[in-house]
Amino acid sequence: MLVGAMLVAGFPSVATAAEGDPPTPITYPISDMVQAPSSYPSQTPLPEAQADPADASINRGALPYAEIASTVNQLMAESDRISAQVVGNSVQGRDIQLVTVTSPETADETAQQMAWKQQIKNEPATAATDQALLDGYKVPIWFNGNIHGNEWEGADIIMNYVEALVTSDDPAIVEMLDSYRFYFTVTNNPDGRVNGTRANAEGFDANRDMITGVTPEARVIRDLAGIIQPTFYIDLHGYTSVLQIEPCGPPHGENYEYDLFLPHAYSAALAIEEAVTDANIEGNTYLAEDGSVTTENTGKIKIPYRDIRSGWDDWPPLFTPQFLAYQGAVTNTVELPHGRSGDQPRNTEINNEVGRVTVESAVEYFDTNSQDLLKNQIEIFSRGDAGEPLQTIPANPDPADYPGIPHEWIDIWNEADVYGAEFPRAYVIPVDDQQRSATDAARLVDQLIANGVEVSQATTPITAGDTTYAAGSYVVDMHQPLRGMANVLLADGSDITERVPDMYDMSAWSLALLWGADVFAIGSTQDASLDGVTLEAVTAALPTGSAPADASYLELATAGAAEYQAINVLLNQGIAVSAFDDGSVIIANSGDSKAAAATVAAEYGVQFTASTGARLLTENSEGLKSLRVAYSGNQDDRKTLERLGFTNLQHVSTSSLAENPALLDGADVLWVGGNLSFEDTQAAGRDAVAAFVDSGNGIAGKGSAVANFANSFGLTEVEANTGVRGSNGIVRVEDADGGLLSTYSQDTAFVAPATWYTGLGDNAAVEQSYASEDLVISGHWANEPGQSRDDAAGEASVVSATAESGSEIVMLGTSVNYRTHPVGSYPWIARALVSVNANEGTAVSVELAEEHLTDDTRGSVDAPAKVTIGEAFDVAIGGVEDGTEVLLQLFGDGSDLATATVANGVVSGIVIPEGTDPGDFRISATLVADGSLIGWDDTTAVTAEVPTDPTDPTTPTDPTDPDNPGDDDGTDLPETGSTLYIGALVLALLAAAVGAGLVIRRRNSALETTQE
């Protein structure tokens, strides 16, 4: 559902989920919109947007968004060098266009180019010696503009350069277009461009989203990466007061082929520096000797590798240049100098001129070195395909060891730059009982494939050391061209705290540790094979969903996020769902419920299991409802809740509640993702929140914000402690035995920074703690007193409490939804919200039936082994207090025996009605209060013995009775019958005696007893 005010141009403000909408996807396959044309030019006119006078580009003096498509269409009408296509859409629905400039190609020529492109990646050893390929391949270069919306000039610079390429008669340009393909994503963030925001329309920074893919803007780059397969990539940004050109300083990404990346990346930056300083552009700025910015032409711009030795790194693959480097590209980020203060149109004019020289000099460098760049790309893919060890550059390298490449970088490289990785032979993602979550595993596989990683499925078992993984397990064979991409996504990463003083951004991101699935690294990259394992490539995770059609009831374990997506869809459809204390759920025995379950099983891959519904009789359960969630916080909170299927959302803040206290009306729970701290002038907002808590409504939240809330509104006492500002990483956690998160336990989490809880009130319980030893797996967490990892070790990371009002709260100290990345933590959010909700929904009901009287439910009831029909007997009832009202039922007959009150552990005066046929029966006891099953026991019902009459000739005689000696010829049938009856009675008594010695298992540990 589209909500919010309409923009002047006709675009909605944001498309957000609304009540009843399906969950927002977590993974997205590669889009069909990025398919390459079959020939060039490909000139279907681009849709033209309506002019928007509110476009923030106008005040900046930059190109309005609406003019991009019209300008490209005009150029296509005039030239056969230019092609264009829409390759994606922004959050608000604006087109993201890809412009390609190259000389015309027939369909056969384009097919040949595609074949060579595929050969470069998939058969790199052959490509390296294919002279026709080396001579004829149109080497690709790619410019990306305006991924940060209010860094406008990237799009302007691109459009100016595109026009120059398309209209120039310069023979050098014509020759370049015969030899290369130029690709341009003109504006990667059109919403931000129009709205004047760095982020996209949902508040996300797309240039921090390259491996998570929550933004459509980042997914465009991700999906184009494998289509374009660039050898050189330039990302145009701003603003840093002085022109800045990467490569970056340390720490360097561990998984790069840095000996092939750095020499050209640095040399290209130096070439741009020389061109820009030689141009001596009026109004431009330069780097002074002391690192400050000056208007004096010092001959220097800023190059992080040379000028910033920490705090501007290429460690994470989150940024587009760092992501594209795994495609074998040399990449540079360009940060234009002049910002948003002062004369903005003049700033734009200067930046455009600086950008023009930058792009032209980058293209000149590319033109001069294109063959070397292509050979480097082929070599990167070849090393991966062959499984060669990573070639780490040692400190103080010898130029003689690096022939044929630029050497300017060597004088700077030292021990601080040395990073590297050891690759395993493969990563295995099991699919059997070795896998924690089948849905998380499938989701991880899809995410790997979407990022260009090759994934296969083993058709035979895989044995590694003492462990065997079942056939069907997914395998990421590390002998593949993008092995660097595979490893950066799956490896644990490293703790680099001691190596660098600070970091530019995230320091850890492992999908294997943070996306909920179990992943195992096996072998070494130098191993020749996977011991005869047969692999079949997959293009998506195979279906995992199932819902047995012949079951009475269906149960669902909730290990992953997909299970909560499915549950919320069912609830939104009005299907009754009940949850047990362990978090698993059950749905009703009805045709509508089963049909809905089959649909969500297919859609979300969840696996229902057949059930008799007996758990509803023996365990605590609660009917769930479709929750209306009020939430504070930012886009991370909103998007994560939408992904989990909580689509009936109401955003609240301190100011909005003070202005409109009714925002909490109808909310079931409150998620505290951002501080709700009220000033004296905001009493109306505070009173509304206090009333919400006093009414017993539940609270869940994260970090210090929820702890502050707990203290402010009297839910419990707690002190929130946080790690050093800027610290982040992957840590070990330990769930409390029997605690909220213990049933689907995970032992790793992400922190940015960590929050730990101390000084807990008496009503608080620790549900999870940070590991006492070896807390940090990977990341950067500087040691500051009171904020160090040692201070956090062993302390509470998740705490729950129940206030006097009955309001429950769960506080999550890890960064459960940071940039929506730690998908494995999503179920913690859902479990917390469900557990604190005080507003029960429609419960799934079940009537006690004989099929529920199984060995698992036997016990806590002790009936006589034999009872006489019509005569009273007692039944012992264990595990309940005296005064409890119970219902006793007779199965084998199906009748109610009595509703009685337990006294001294017994209910007395129970009678099997006259007229009941003799036989074996089961006597069950259930609580009258809620229908839960206490237990059951066997008994045999017999008829009362008929009194003997000596005058009756049919009465059996006793030879020892002088008054009735009977027949002593040994053929007296009544005597024989009496003997048989006695023998049977003895056997029955023996069986009862043996049975009475059995240990009876009750429905929970509190009810266990042993019958003596």
Side-chain angles (χ1 to χ4, degrees):
M1 180 179 180
L2 302 180
V3 297
M6 299 294 287
L7 300 175
V8 174
F11 291 96
S13 61
V14 181
T16 60
E19 182 178 4
D21 283 353
T24 303
I26 294 175
T27 59
Y28 294 81
I30 295 173
S31 170
D32 292 338
M33 297 180 74
V34 301
Q35 297 302 311
S38 58
S39 63
Y40 288 92
S42 176
Q43 295 186 325
T44 300
L46 296 174
E48 297 185 13
Q50 178 184 346
D52 181 3
D55 187 334
S57 307
I58 297 172
N59 287 338
R60 178 68 183 183
L63 181 70
Y65 169 76
E67 293 185 17
I68 293 173
S70 60
T71 302
V72 171
N73 287 339
Q74 182 178 347
L75 291 172
M76 287 196 295
E78 298 171 357
S79 173
D80 61 1
R81 299 175 183 177
I82 180 173
S83 303
Q85 63 192 108
V86 175
V87 289
N89 299 107
S90 67
V91 170
Q92 292 180 328
R94 294 183 176 87
D95 290 339
I96 300 173
Q97 307 102 338
L98 176 70
V99 173
T100 306
V101 181
T102 192
S103 58
E105 299 171 14
T106 65
D108 287 345
E109 289 170 333
T110 299
Q112 179 61 75
Q113 290 295 320
M114 178 59 72
W116 279 333
K117 188 185 298 287
Q118 293 172 348
Q119 184 178 345
I120 288 166
K121 179 172 285 184
N122 300 317
E123 302 175 67
T126 302
T129 59
D130 186 335
Q131 198 58 49
L133 181 156
L134 297 175
D135 291 342
Y137 181 57
K138 285 189 170 182
V139 186
I141 179 173
W142 181 8
F143 291 89
N144 186 51
N146 204 196
I147 193 171
H148 290 148
N150 61 358
E151 297 168 9
W152 288 273
E153 288 84 352
D156 297 60
I157 293 162
I158 283 173
M159 286 304 301
N160 290 335
Y161 189 66
V162 165
E163 185 170 1
L165 289 177
V166 168
T167 60
S168 175
D169 293 328
D170 186 341
I173 289 180
V174 173
E175 183 178 353
M176 283 199 307
L177 298 181
D178 287 338
S179 303
Y180 314 128
R181 281 197 194 146
F182 289 83
Y183 294 94
F184 305 91
T185 33
V186 182
T187 173
N188 193 190
N189 182 2
D191 294 346
R193 182 176 187 84
V194 171
N195 301 332
T197 60
R198 173 186 177 90
N200 76 348
E202 287 192 305
F204 290 101
D205 186 337
N207 202 41
R208 304 292 187 274
D209 186 41
M210 286 311 301
I211 62 172
T212 305
V214 67
T215 64
E217 295 83 3
R219 292 197 300 272
V220 164
I221 303 301
R222 181 199 73 181
D223 294 351
L224 284 172
I227 301 296
I228 296 175
Q229 199 172 294
T231 59
F232 199 23
Y233 173 85
I234 304 291
D235 203 7
L236 295 164
H237 287 254
Y239 305 106
T240 51
S241 299
V242 62
L243 180 66
Q244 179 174 300
I245 311 290
E246 292 180 358
C248 296
H252 302 298
E254 294 176 296
N255 299 283
Y256 294 124
E257 309 289 341
Y258 226 71
D259 63 315
L260 300 176
F261 171 86
L262 179 61
H264 283 292
Y266 184 54
S267 187
L270 292 175
I272 292 170
E273 177 180 64
E274 182 178 5
V276 170
T277 56
D278 284 352
N280 203 30
I281 297 165
E282 184 179 351
N284 194 21
T285 54
Y286 304 91
L287 186 68
E289 189 67 29
D290 62 0
S292 63
V293 178
T294 178
T295 55
E296 178 185 353
N297 191 339
T298 63
K300 289 183 67 177
I301 60 170
K302 185 178 287 187
I303 303 175
Y305 173 64
R306 179 189 67 195
D307 303 315
I308 308 175
R309 295 295 288 169
S310 77
W312 193 287
D313 51 80
D314 54 20
W315 181 250
L318 314 173
F319 319 110
T320 68
Q322 280 62 49
F323 184 86
L324 268 296
Y326 289 110
Q327 289 283 349
V330 167
T331 66
N332 293 108
T333 295
V334 174
E335 300 281 354
L336 296 166
H338 288 284
R340 302 174 193 89
S341 60
D343 186 343
Q344 290 204 53
R346 176 57 180 153
N347 288 347
T348 296
E349 184 180 348
I350 297 169
N351 283 344
N352 282 343
E353 183 61 18
V354 171
R356 179 189 65 79
V357 176
T358 297
V359 168
E360 288 176 351
S361 59
V363 169
E364 182 178 352
Y365 186 89
F366 167 76
D367 185 30
T368 303
N369 297 278
S370 61
Q371 280 299 299
D372 287 339
L373 295 173
L374 174 59
K375 290 176 182 178
N376 278 1
Q377 184 179 59
I378 293 172
E379 175 63 14
I380 289 171
F381 294 158
S382 182
R383 290 179 184 179
D385 188 60
E388 297 179 14
L390 189 70
Q391 295 189 21
T392 304
I393 306 171
N396 306 310
D398 184 345
D401 294 333
Y402 301 91
I405 61 174
H407 284 162
E408 295 98 333
W409 61 277
I410 287 179
D411 289 340
I412 299 170
W413 188 271
N414 60 32
E415 184 62 38
D417 295 284
V418 181
Y419 289 85
E422 293 185 3
F423 302 126
R425 184 59 181 80
Y427 288 97
V428 179
I429 306 169
V431 294
D432 60 0
D433 56 6
Q434 293 167 298
Q435 180 54 253
R436 177 192 162 276
S437 167
T439 53
D440 283 341
R443 187 151 285 156
L444 173 59
V445 166
D446 286 339
Q447 189 71 355
L448 291 170
I449 292 170
N451 281 287
V453 175
E454 295 175 2
V455 182
S456 299
Q457 193 168 41
T459 60
T460 54
I462 306 165
T463 299
D466 296 330
T467 304
T468 297
Y469 303 96
S473 295
Y474 292 104
V475 177
V476 178
D477 186 348
M478 290 298 286
H479 285 204
Q480 64 169 288
L482 297 191
R483 58 102 177 259
M485 178 75 78
N487 209 55
V488 80
L489 297 181
L490 291 174
D492 292 356
S494 300
D495 181 0
I496 55 173
T497 305
E498 300 302 322
R499 294 210 57 186
V500 290
D502 49 29
M503 296 287 292
Y504 181 63
D505 201 79
M506 276 178 72
S507 305
W509 49 84
S510 170
L511 300 185
L513 295 179
L514 296 177
W515 275 52
D518 288 321
V519 182
F520 302 91
I522 62 172
S524 166
T525 187
Q526 297 179 71
D527 296 342
S529 69
L530 288 171
D531 295 327
V533 175
T534 304
L535 300 176
E536 292 184 356
V538 296
T539 57
L542 299 184
T544 57
S546 61
D550 56 352
S552 298
Y553 294 80
L554 293 172
E555 293 187 28
L556 181 64
T558 53
E563 282 76 13
Y564 284 102
Q565 292 178 314
I567 291 167
N568 278 319
V569 169
L570 293 174
L571 292 171
N572 288 339
Q573 293 175 352
I575 302 299
V577 181
S578 284
F580 300 109
D581 288 346
D582 67 359
S584 62
V585 301
I586 188 169
I587 66 170
N589 180 11
S590 73
D592 289 346
S593 295
K594 292 175 184 177
T599 300
V600 297
E603 179 70 19
Y604 300 102
V606 297
Q607 299 176 352
F608 290 93
T609 56
S611 171
T612 64
R615 290 182 69 191
L616 291 167
L617 297 163
T618 60
E619 298 183 29
N620 293 326
S621 64
E622 181 177 349
L624 301 183
K625 65 168 297 189
S626 179
L627 295 181
R628 177 164 175 77
V629 182
Y631 77 97
S632 64
N634 61 16
Q635 65 279 352
D636 296 349
D637 302 286
R638 183 191 69 248
K639 181 61 72 173
T640 304
L641 292 169
E642 289 177 353
R643 283 179 155 188
L644 284 165
F646 298 108
T647 53
N648 188 1
L649 300 175
Q650 174 61 61
H651 184 258
V652 297
S653 64
T654 301
S655 58
S656 68
L657 283 170
E659 182 177 341
N660 183 9
L663 290 176
L664 283 177
D665 291 354
D668 296 296
V669 292
L670 173 63
W671 170 261
V672 182
N675 276 315
L676 289 174
S677 179
F678 296 88
E679 302 291 338
D680 292 342
T681 57
Q682 299 170 316
R686 180 179 178 83
D687 290 347
V689 175
F692 184 84
V693 172
D694 291 343
S695 296
N697 293 301
I699 312 295
K702 64 183 183 182
S704 299
V706 72
N708 294 337
F709 185 96
N711 288 320
S712 296
F713 291 95
L715 288 150
T716 191
E717 295 178 1
V718 59
E719 180 180 349
N721 312 270
T722 58
V724 177
R725 179 180 174 86
S727 62
N728 66 85
I730 301 172
V731 298
R732 294 180 174 88
V733 293
E734 299 169 353
D735 291 326
D737 291 342
L740 179 68
L741 306 178
S742 63
T743 45
Y744 308 104
S745 187
Q746 298 182 71
D747 58 5
T748 54
F750 184 73
V751 295
T755 300
W756 59 98
Y757 303 115
T758 57
L760 301 178
D762 292 339
N763 65 333
V766 175
E767 304 287 356
Q768 183 192 81
S769 299
Y770 292 104
S772 298
E773 298 180 357
D774 300 323
L775 173 59
V776 177
I777 298 172
S778 55
H780 190 276
W781 188 342
N783 185 21
E784 293 289 340
Q787 295 184 289
S788 72
R789 66 187 71 189
D790 290 339
D791 295 306
E795 299 292 352
S797 54
V798 178
V799 170
S800 65
T802 302
E804 290 183 5
S805 66
S807 178
E808 297 182 39
I809 186 169
V810 174
M811 298 178 281
L812 302 165
T814 61
S815 303
V816 288
N817 59 359
Y818 183 79
R819 296 180 184 167
T820 76
H821 179 65
V823 173
S825 297
Y826 283 14
W828 300 352
I829 298 171
R831 186 77 183 273
L833 289 170
V834 170
S835 70
V836 302
N837 172 46
N839 303 310
E840 189 168 354
T842 302
V844 177
S845 61
V846 63
E847 291 187 6
L848 181 63
E850 191 157 9
E851 65 178 330
H852 301 132
L853 305 184
T854 65
D855 288 343
D856 288 337
T857 58
R858 184 179 183 125
S860 298
V861 172
D862 186 8
K866 186 180 75 170
V867 297
T868 301
I869 296 169
E871 295 183 3
F873 59 92
D874 295 344
V875 176
I877 307 293
V880 298
E881 296 180 355
D882 285 351
T884 301
E885 198 172 17
V886 298
L887 170 66
L888 270 65
Q889 292 175 282
L890 187 69
F891 283 94
D893 178 85
S895 60
D896 291 352
L897 291 178
T899 298
T901 301
V902 178
N904 297 318
V906 172
V907 291
S908 302
I910 307 303
V911 177
I912 295 179
E914 294 279 1
T916 303
D917 292 333
D920 293 330
F921 294 89
R922 296 175 179 181
I923 295 176
S924 69
T926 56
L927 293 174
V928 172
D930 62 10
S932 62
L933 177 64
I934 299 170
W936 63 273
D937 196 14
D938 293 309
T939 191
T940 299
V942 299
T943 57
E945 294 185 9
V946 179
T948 60
D949 183 353
T951 65
D952 186 346
T954 63
T955 300
T957 58
D958 184 350
T960 64
D961 185 349
D963 295 325
N964 188 16
D967 190 348
D968 62 356
D969 63 1
T971 61
D972 190 335
L973 290 178
E975 180 180 341
T976 301
S978 177
T979 303
L980 290 173
Y981 172 79
I982 293 169
L985 180 59
V986 170
L987 289 174
L989 290 172
L990 286 172
V994 172
L998 296 179
V999 175
I1000 305 301
R1001 185 162 63 85
R1002 303 289 164 73
R1003 61 194 177 94
N1004 59 49
S1005 58
L1007 303 183
E1008 288 184 3
T1009 186
T1010 302
Q1011 294 188 10
E1012 296 293 333

